[in-house]
Amino acid sequence: MSIRIQPSILSANFVNFERDFATIADADGIHVDVMDGHFVPNLTFGTGMVKHMQEITKLPLDVHLMIEKPELWAPKYSELGVFSVTFHFEPCSDAAATAKAIKSHGSRAGLAIKPGTPVSAIEHLLEHFDQILVMSVEPGFGGQSFMNSSLEKISLLRDLLDSSGSQTWLQVDGGIDLQTISLAAGAGADTFVAGSSVFGAPDRNAMINQLRTAGELARTGQ
Ligand code: DX5
Ligand code: ZN
């Protein structure tokens, strides 16, 4: 199984994305954290900036919406033509319909759960999604420590996806570094968001490649 590394631009320089994107060319995609100051206390950017991000990189954009009313906003991001749009289960009034709307514009649809949300809450929704995101920190800020409680959720989701023959990606976001990626990959995750560990490294591409290797080793060692 292939391992994907997606640096989170929450740790990048917000007034110099073009320069920072050029330093992560070895990534499998760029994770774009959209925060509204309501669902999470932090605030980042909206559709206008994401539209222009597409003009300065060839890497696929993986948009992570940490916003209220995702059913209204998620389709507007997929209309921009981004690679994937992930929204949170917790504030969404109709997750299946929102996934359908995202996919109708050609983007992959993702469903995210906060650390306090159990897998059982979304089990019935898995079939509608191309990727599932397990948050391993409380969403809102970069640089937090990985929560080991996410590992059980990753294992459970891996079993559920495998038992139905699903090709849905299993993504983890928060506190991923060279140590924690092995834990998360060993539990069954295949797609990794890494903010501070990549952007804080002296050679960001080297760190991306080291993370990918560590993830592959942990997956094959199962
Ligand atoms: C947190 C964001 C993450 C964040 C990860 O709410 O969703 O994508 O940037 O940052 P690190 O890797 O530093 O924990
Ligand atoms: Zn994120």
Side-chain angles (χ1 to χ4, degrees):
M1 175 181 289
S2 55
I3 295 287
R4 299 165 206 95
I5 307 294
Q6 301 168 325
S8 161
I9 60 167
L10 196 58
S11 294
N13 183 330
F14 278 26
V15 294
N16 215 332
F17 283 131
E18 192 161 10
R19 184 196 65 195
D20 274 357
F21 285 8
T23 67
I24 55 168
D26 288 357
D28 298 291
I30 299 179
H31 182 82
V32 178
D33 286 301
V34 174
M35 303 185 181
D36 67 355
H38 293 279
F39 178 66
V40 289
N42 202 358
L43 180 69
T44 58
F45 36 71
T47 50
M49 281 186 67
V50 174
K51 180 171 187 282
H52 288 297
M53 283 176 201
Q54 292 184 288
E55 296 163 5
I56 60 167
T57 183
K58 288 189 167 59
L59 288 172
L61 296 188
D62 175 58
V63 175
H64 176 195
L65 299 177
M66 285 161 277
I67 62 171
E68 290 179 357
K69 297 192 171 38
E71 59 281 357
L72 293 183
W73 287 99
K76 297 188 194 298
Y77 288 86
S78 55
E79 277 172 30
L80 299 177
V82 299
F83 180 72
S84 48
V85 180
T86 295
F87 61 91
H88 273 262
F89 164 75
E90 297 86 2
C92 192
S93 61
D94 190 338
T98 305
K100 197 172 171 191
I102 291 169
K103 291 193 276 194
S104 74
H105 299 297
S107 303
R108 290 168 60 87
L111 186 65
I113 49 173
K114 291 169 74 171
T117 303
V119 169
S120 57
I122 60 162
E123 203 177 325
H124 64 292
L125 293 167
L126 298 181
E127 64 184 294
H128 301 286
F129 290 88
D130 302 300
Q131 51 196 64
I132 302 296
L133 170 54
V134 174
M135 288 303 301
S136 44
V137 297
E138 284 298 338
F141 299 93
Q144 303 181 74
S145 297
F146 181 84
M147 296 168 75
N148 282 315
S149 54
S150 64
L151 295 172
E152 203 176 318
K153 291 162 73 171
I154 293 167
S155 298
L156 195 49
L157 280 162
R158 178 83 274 149
D159 288 347
L160 287 168
L161 293 172
D162 285 354
S163 65
S164 63
S166 171
Q167 296 301 307
T168 291
W169 296 358
L170 185 47
Q171 185 182 38
V172 60
D173 180 7
I176 292 294
D177 58 23
L178 285 173
Q179 279 70 49
T180 56
I181 195 168
S182 301
L183 301 174
D190 52 35
T191 306
F192 301 86
V193 178
S196 47
S197 63
V198 168
F199 282 96
D203 182 338
R204 295 168 179 171
N205 281 321
M207 177 54 72
I208 289 164
N209 289 311
Q210 285 171 40
L211 285 165
R212 194 184 288 110
T213 301
E216 281 165 0
L217 276 174
R219 287 291 294 151
T220 51
Q222 277 189 318

